[in-house]
Amino acid sequence: MLQVISLLLENKPGALMRVTGLLSQRGYNIESLTVARTLDPELSRMTIVVDVDSVQRQQVIKQMNKLINVLQATDLTDSPAVVRELVLVRIRMPQESRTAVLKEAEIFGGRVVDSSTEGFAIEATGDPEKLGEFIDVMNSYGEIEVTRSGALAIGLEAKKLRLQPPVPTKTKMEEFVD
Amino acid sequence: MLVECLVREGVDCLFGYPGGVTIPFYDVLYDHPLRHVLVRHEENAAFAAEGYARATGKVGVCCATSGPGATNLTTGLVDAMMDSIPVVAITGQVTSKLIGSDAFQEADTFGITRPCTKHNYLVKRLEDLAQTIHEAFYVAGSGRPGPVLVDVTKDVLQAQGHYQQVTAIHLPGYRVFTEGHTGQVRRAAQLVQEAQRPLVYGGGGIIAAGTAKELREFVELADLPAVLTLMGLGGLASEHPNFISMPGMHGSYAANMALTNCDLLIALGVRFDDRVTGRLAAFAPHAKVIHVDIDPAEIGKNRAPDVPIVGDVKRVLVKLNKLLAESGNAPDETLRAARRAWWHRIRQWKQEHPFDVVTSDTEIKPQHLMAEIDRISGGQAIVASDVGQHQMWAAQLVRFNEPRLWLSSGGLGSMGFGIPAAIGAQFARPDKLVFAIVGDGGFQMSIPELSTIASNGLPIKIVVMNNGHLGMVRQWQTLFYNNRLSAVELDGFPDVEKLAAAYGFKGRIIDKPWELAPALEEAVAEPGPYLLNVKVTPFECVYPMVPAGSGLEEMVLGPPQPVAVPAK
Ligand SMILES: Cc1ncc(C[n+]2csc(CCOP(=O)(O)OP(=O)(O)O)c2C)c(N)n1
Ligand SMILES: [Mg+2]
């Protein structure tokens, strides 16, 4: 089944590699992955959708939490959350279908961002399943090319962030003077 | 600056091999008291650091140059990862300006070692160096220990600068859970008191937590039988009356039967590894499970526990012991009778099928060799093993009355581990008698280190259990592939007397059972290193054996006909 994970991670070199490496190392298939900075430029927020069987879900979260650069891994699959995706579709179709395509796009809340004699470029956002339908419909009108952003998710309940406080070093200090 | 960071971490010895980009580091070592041990291959630097760490509990340190030096370290890093051994590896990297240009001896060490380490770093600025090194030691040694690698560019190694005091480690995403949940510990104590057929199943976590004392108190307070995994041997003295033995694929009949029949499994610092559990569904099928581990991801990974406790085994045992000692609950007569009956069954299983010490009048049996080593060690010597049949026989038959005596590559099963691990251990414990028990296959992976042993005058006793084969693979081919022996014969084994002589120490070959005891005694009496090649019967198999994918109860007790063990 598909599991939606929201990760808050430190924006350190290699942090992304650790997350993707862990997923492939443990045999979890990545459906989609998006990442961008948060308000705090030192942190990034990542939304990952993985395909795992339900008994593995907890294990995925625990493994993510073990990564030192990960501050919080949250499973949003069953908790109240909004999941959205952006899709960009370029469509080429015969002249006579232009109005029909525009109508359909409107039904899905799509917006034309480029128009030419050959067709349109349309952007649409929504939940990933809905967008799938949108793409199917567009496909029935002509030749399309599609780019999807992958799911972005935000939990609707604030989750307390538990961080490790700094630990004093136990290094030997006395004997070294230089 | 790097050397200063290491000294401040209390490092007294490191294992390494230099190269182009690490020359600046070695230049500082030139007139510095910090002891550097030159190994003969970087893989062995990592294994030796592990040996040091395994024998002491302190962080072991190894270093290598960029490119091939760093890639050679990886096996040892993965080995440390699998067995949760604290190691810090320092590697040189090409000058930061050259990174990404396919410069000479450039390799993406940071990328390559990501899955080989608990955490890793690339340091490109001098001002990050001290903080990073101290973080590395903290991460390696805390929580569930493991290897941490710090890749340092040549310009940083070369740069001059004053060491700035690092006062705190700030890793907000690195949570270490040590205190077990009090309510859960209370539930655990209650289950321990109520169980009719309880069993302790302890592992490497006992050793890592340094909690042998609390474990002994625990089993004595509640009179619990205990099995210890390959990684946990010595966590409870082998001679302790409550110790059954090692369970698992080559575990004892009694240990595996106890696991199969217990009604409460107290799992302490273990990970329900497949080599221990056999087919999971048949593992401790009647038992409630208490699982204590410092790593939350281990809990429920393979077996869902009834009482999960995330915490340091030591702290949890201290709490548990306090509860057990203070509770006034005296068991009623039914429970006492049930416990007596349980102990009775365990003793019977132990008697019915102990680990066999097979001997012969004409040939040396492998088990005989291990029994002799055991006699000489008396549960006190450090034994570093390699991987294969000899490892299993040693684990079965050599006693370890203290933790950190038995050093063995468990999770990764890396051949070539034994001799370098013994080197690390002997540096850590110069006072101890150290055996390296290796197979004729693994020995040949480590021959270069005979030179390290010789040049440092390490009095390690290397015992080659020579069966002329890659014995463990041969055993599987015999048992499961119609005895079609493919690529397992080891012809051309060197004459160890000449080999040892070439390195300047003593060696001897024996193949008669009556030579065994005197030869081992001679080896131990020798003040320097000793290489003993013991020719044993070539076609022995290690028993009991639980075939891969079977339940523990389906163990095969011995040749020639598999003996099915009746269900209880
Ligand atoms: C580096 C490495 N390569 C291959 C193996 C697979 N393997 C496991 S045991 C074994 C045989 C070891 O032979 P030997 O060292 O003679 O020990 P024996 O089993 O005969 O005691 C092999 C090849 C391994 N564990 N490690
Ligand atoms: Mg062999």
CSV table of all heavy atoms in Angstrom, one decimal, chain B residues 165-186:
chain,number,residue,atom,x,y,z
B,165,GLN,N,38.4,24.9,21.4
B,165,GLN,CA,37.7,24.0,22.4
B,165,GLN,C,36.3,23.7,21.9
B,165,GLN,O,35.5,24.7,21.6
B,165,GLN,CB,37.7,24.6,23.7
B,165,GLN,CG,37.1,23.8,24.8
B,165,GLN,CD,38.0,22.5,25.0
B,165,GLN,OE1,39.2,22.6,25.2
B,165,GLN,NE2,37.3,21.4,24.9
B,166,VAL,N,35.9,22.5,21.8
B,166,VAL,CA,34.5,22.1,21.5
B,166,VAL,C,33.8,21.8,22.8
B,166,VAL,O,34.3,20.9,23.5
B,166,VAL,CB,34.5,21.0,20.5
B,166,VAL,CG1,33.0,20.5,20.3
B,166,VAL,CG2,35.2,21.3,19.2
B,167,THR,N,32.8,22.5,23.1
B,167,THR,CA,32.2,22.3,24.4
B,167,THR,C,30.9,21.4,24.4
B,167,THR,O,30.6,20.8,25.4
B,167,THR,CB,31.8,23.6,25.1
B,167,THR,OG1,31.0,24.3,24.1
B,167,THR,CG2,33.0,24.4,25.4
B,168,ALA,N,30.2,21.4,23.2
B,168,ALA,CA,29.0,20.6,23.2
B,168,ALA,C,28.8,20.0,21.8
B,168,ALA,O,29.2,20.5,20.8
B,168,ALA,CB,27.8,21.5,23.6
B,169,ILE,N,28.1,18.9,21.9
B,169,ILE,CA,27.7,18.2,20.6
B,169,ILE,C,26.2,18.6,20.4
B,169,ILE,O,25.4,18.3,21.3
B,169,ILE,CB,27.8,16.7,20.8
B,169,ILE,CG1,29.2,16.3,21.2
B,169,ILE,CG2,27.4,16.0,19.5
B,169,ILE,CD1,30.3,16.4,20.2
B,170,HIS,N,25.9,19.2,19.3
B,170,HIS,CA,24.6,19.5,19.0
B,170,HIS,C,24.0,18.7,17.8
B,170,HIS,O,24.3,19.1,16.7
B,170,HIS,CB,24.4,21.0,18.8
B,170,HIS,CG,23.0,21.5,18.8
B,170,HIS,ND1,22.1,21.0,19.8
B,170,HIS,CD2,22.3,22.3,18.0
B,170,HIS,CE1,20.9,21.6,19.5
B,170,HIS,NE2,21.0,22.3,18.5
B,171,LEU,N,23.3,17.7,18.1
B,171,LEU,CA,22.7,16.8,17.1
B,171,LEU,C,21.2,16.7,17.4
B,171,LEU,O,20.8,15.7,18.0
B,171,LEU,CB,23.4,15.5,17.1
B,171,LEU,CG,24.9,15.4,16.6
B,171,LEU,CD1,25.5,14.1,16.9
B,171,LEU,CD2,25.0,15.8,15.1
B,172,PRO,N,20.4,17.7,17.0
B,172,PRO,CA,19.0,17.7,17.4
B,172,PRO,C,18.3,16.5,16.9
B,172,PRO,O,17.3,16.1,17.6
B,172,PRO,CB,18.5,19.0,16.9
B,172,PRO,CG,19.5,19.4,15.8
B,172,PRO,CD,20.8,18.9,16.2
B,173,GLY,N,18.7,15.9,15.8
B,173,GLY,CA,18.0,14.7,15.3
B,173,GLY,C,18.5,13.4,15.8
B,173,GLY,O,18.0,12.3,15.4
B,174,TYR,N,19.4,13.4,16.7
B,174,TYR,CA,20.0,12.1,17.2
B,174,TYR,C,19.5,11.9,18.6
B,174,TYR,O,20.1,12.4,19.5
B,174,TYR,CB,21.5,12.2,17.1
B,174,TYR,CG,22.2,11.0,17.6
B,174,TYR,CD1,22.0,9.8,17.1
B,174,TYR,CD2,23.2,11.1,18.7
B,174,TYR,CE1,22.7,8.6,17.5
B,174,TYR,CE2,23.9,10.0,19.1
B,174,TYR,CZ,23.6,8.7,18.5
B,174,TYR,OH,24.3,7.6,19.0
B,175,ARG,N,18.4,11.1,18.7
B,175,ARG,CA,17.9,10.9,20.0
B,175,ARG,C,18.4,9.5,20.5
B,175,ARG,O,18.3,8.5,19.8
B,175,ARG,CB,16.3,10.8,19.9
B,175,ARG,CG,15.7,12.2,19.9
B,175,ARG,CD,14.4,12.2,19.2
B,175,ARG,NE,14.5,11.6,17.9
B,175,ARG,CZ,14.2,12.2,16.8
B,175,ARG,NH1,13.7,13.4,16.8
B,175,ARG,NH2,14.4,11.6,15.6
B,176,VAL,N,18.9,9.6,21.7
B,176,VAL,CA,19.3,8.4,22.4
B,176,VAL,C,18.4,8.0,23.5
B,176,VAL,O,18.2,8.8,24.4
B,176,VAL,CB,20.8,8.5,22.9
B,176,VAL,CG1,21.2,7.3,23.6
B,176,VAL,CG2,21.7,8.9,21.8
B,177,PHE,N,17.8,6.9,23.4
B,177,PHE,CA,16.8,6.5,24.4
B,177,PHE,C,17.5,5.6,25.4
B,177,PHE,O,17.9,4.5,25.0
B,177,PHE,CB,15.6,5.7,23.8
B,177,PHE,CG,15.0,6.5,22.7
B,177,PHE,CD1,15.4,6.4,21.4
B,177,PHE,CD2,13.9,7.4,22.9
B,177,PHE,CE1,14.8,7.1,20.3
B,177,PHE,CE2,13.3,8.1,21.9
B,177,PHE,CZ,13.7,8.0,20.6
B,178,THR,N,17.6,6.0,26.6
B,178,THR,CA,18.3,5.1,27.6
B,178,THR,C,17.4,4.6,28.7
B,178,THR,O,17.5,3.4,29.0
B,178,THR,CB,19.5,5.8,28.2
B,178,THR,OG1,19.0,7.1,28.7
B,178,THR,CG2,20.6,6.1,27.2
B,179,GLU,N,16.5,5.4,29.2
B,179,GLU,CA,15.7,5.0,30.3
B,179,GLU,C,14.5,4.2,29.8
B,179,GLU,O,13.7,4.7,29.0
B,179,GLU,CB,15.1,6.2,31.1
B,179,GLU,CG,16.2,7.1,31.7
B,179,GLU,CD,17.0,6.3,32.8
B,179,GLU,OE1,16.5,5.4,33.4
B,179,GLU,OE2,18.2,6.6,32.9
B,180,GLY,N,14.4,3.0,30.2
B,180,GLY,CA,13.2,2.2,29.8
B,180,GLY,C,12.0,2.8,30.4
B,180,GLY,O,12.0,3.4,31.5
B,181,HIS,N,10.8,2.7,29.8
B,181,HIS,CA,9.6,3.2,30.3
B,181,HIS,C,9.2,2.5,31.6
B,181,HIS,O,9.1,1.2,31.6
B,181,HIS,CB,8.5,3.0,29.2
B,181,HIS,CG,7.2,3.6,29.5
B,181,HIS,ND1,6.3,3.0,30.4
B,181,HIS,CD2,6.6,4.8,29.2
B,181,HIS,CE1,5.2,3.8,30.5
B,181,HIS,NE2,5.4,4.8,29.8
B,182,THR,N,9.0,3.2,32.6
B,182,THR,CA,8.9,2.6,34.0
B,182,THR,C,7.7,1.6,34.0
B,182,THR,O,7.7,0.5,34.6
B,182,THR,CB,8.7,3.7,35.1
B,182,THR,OG1,9.8,4.6,34.9
B,182,THR,CG2,8.8,3.1,36.4
B,183,GLY,N,6.6,2.1,33.4
B,183,GLY,CA,5.4,1.2,33.4
B,183,GLY,C,5.6,-0.1,32.7
B,183,GLY,O,5.2,-1.2,33.2
B,184,GLN,N,6.3,0.0,31.6
B,184,GLN,CA,6.6,-1.2,30.8
B,184,GLN,C,7.6,-2.1,31.6
B,184,GLN,O,7.4,-3.4,31.6
B,184,GLN,CB,7.3,-0.9,29.5
B,184,GLN,CG,6.4,-0.1,28.5
B,184,GLN,CD,5.3,-1.0,28.0
B,184,GLN,OE1,4.3,-1.4,28.7
B,184,GLN,NE2,5.3,-1.4,26.7
B,185,VAL,N,8.5,-1.5,32.3
B,185,VAL,CA,9.4,-2.3,33.1
B,185,VAL,C,8.7,-3.0,34.2
B,185,VAL,O,8.9,-4.2,34.5
B,185,VAL,CB,10.6,-1.5,33.7
B,185,VAL,CG1,11.5,-2.3,34.5
B,185,VAL,CG2,11.4,-0.8,32.5
B,186,ARG,N,7.7,-2.3,34.7
B,186,ARG,CA,6.9,-3.0,35.8
B,186,ARG,C,6.1,-4.2,35.2
B,186,ARG,O,6.1,-5.2,35.8
B,186,ARG,CB,5.9,-1.9,36.4
B,186,ARG,CG,5.6,-2.2,37.9
B,186,ARG,CD,4.9,-1.0,38.5
B,186,ARG,NE,5.8,0.0,38.9
B,186,ARG,CZ,5.5,1.3,38.7
B,186,ARG,NH1,4.4,1.7,38.0
B,186,ARG,NH2,6.4,2.2,39.1
